[in-house]
Amino acid sequence: MSRIGKKPIPIPKGVEVVSTGGTLTVKGPKGMLKRNLHPKVTVRVQDGVATVSVPDESKESKSLHGLFRVLLHNMVKGVSEGFERILEIVGVGYRAEVSGKTATLNLGYSHPIVFELPDGVDMKVDRTRIVLSGIDKELVGQTAAKIRALRPPEPYKGKGIKYADEYIRRKAGKAGVK
């Protein structure tokens, strides 16, 4: 049995978890999320606690057990608290602006990059900080990765877009090769 899968998930006040017909629905104060369940996985809700179970002890079942427990936990946390990912822009003249669901990024290329934000992700820009927030952890993380991929940080001066908690390993350059 999966160690992670065995842990029960406490459901906070105002959050409703419903498992019907192979579909898991989680509703909360920030919104609603849906996910299809694997046929081997069952979710049971009792007394404000959700538990994930699988029928047997095969390797596939064990991995699905832990996976769906974590996915359900992320859904519950997302609809109650939400998730956010912080990016930092490093470089002279590099900047970002957001208007509605469109972000315009000036990243040292000959043209500005127009990035369409997906539904469910909000973006706030404060000079060199980009804050992405939403209720779906997977979508927020994927959007942050796509924005970072537009200009990844380079190892010499660190210019580019990086995660706020990311450490960039620096290289010495030509002058340090003696």
Side-chain angles (χ1 to χ4, degrees), residues 36-52:
N36 292 330
L37 285 175
H38 192 275
K40 288 188 175 184
V41 177
T42 56
V43 176
R44 203 170 321 134
V45 181
Q46 293 176 343
D47 303 325
V49 175
T51 54
V52 178

Side-chain angles (χ1 to χ4, degrees), residues 9-103:
I9 302 165
I11 300 172
K13 297 268 189 226
V15 176
E16 179 185 340
V17 178
V18 179
S19 175
T20 54
T23 304
L24 184 64
T25 307
V26 180
K27 294 178 187 173
K30 292 199 174 250
M32 181 181 83
L33 292 172
K34 283 187 175 184
R35 181 172 294 277
N36 292 330
L37 285 175
H38 192 275
K40 288 188 175 184
V41 177
T42 56
V43 176
R44 203 170 321 134
V45 181
Q46 293 176 343
D47 303 325
V49 175
T51 54
V52 178
S53 59
V54 290
D56 57 4
E57 292 293 317
S58 68
K59 187 171 183 175
E60 182 188 20
S61 293
K62 287 180 183 180
S63 62
L64 289 172
H65 195 198
L67 170 71
F68 276 94
R69 190 262 178 210
V70 171
L71 290 174
L72 176 58
H73 180 262
N74 287 341
M75 290 169 74
V76 169
K77 186 177 177 189
V79 297
S80 60
E81 301 171 23
F83 292 100
E84 76 175 22
R85 202 74 165 115
I86 300 170
L87 299 167
E88 292 178 351
I89 302 173
V90 179
V92 177
Y94 290 13
R95 63 181 182 274
E97 298 167 358
V98 65
S99 61
K101 286 289 186 184
T102 305

Side-chain angles (χ1 to χ4, degrees), residues 97 99 101-107 111-117 147 150:
E97 298 167 358
S99 61
K101 286 289 186 184
T102 305
T104 306
L105 303 157
N106 294 318
L107 301 174
H111 59 283
I113 298 168
V114 178
F115 186 84
E116 292 293 326
L117 291 170
I147 291 174
L150 296 173

Side-chain angles (χ1 to χ4, degrees), residues 106-137:
N106 294 318
L107 301 174
Y109 296 118
S110 61
H111 59 283
I113 298 168
V114 178
F115 186 84
E116 292 293 326
L117 291 170
D119 292 334
V121 176
D122 295 323
M123 181 175 172
K124 293 179 193 151
V125 177
D126 178 39
R127 291 195 166 202
T128 61
R129 286 174 67 92
I130 298 173
V131 180
L132 297 169
S133 59
I135 61 172
D136 189 355
K137 185 176 186 178

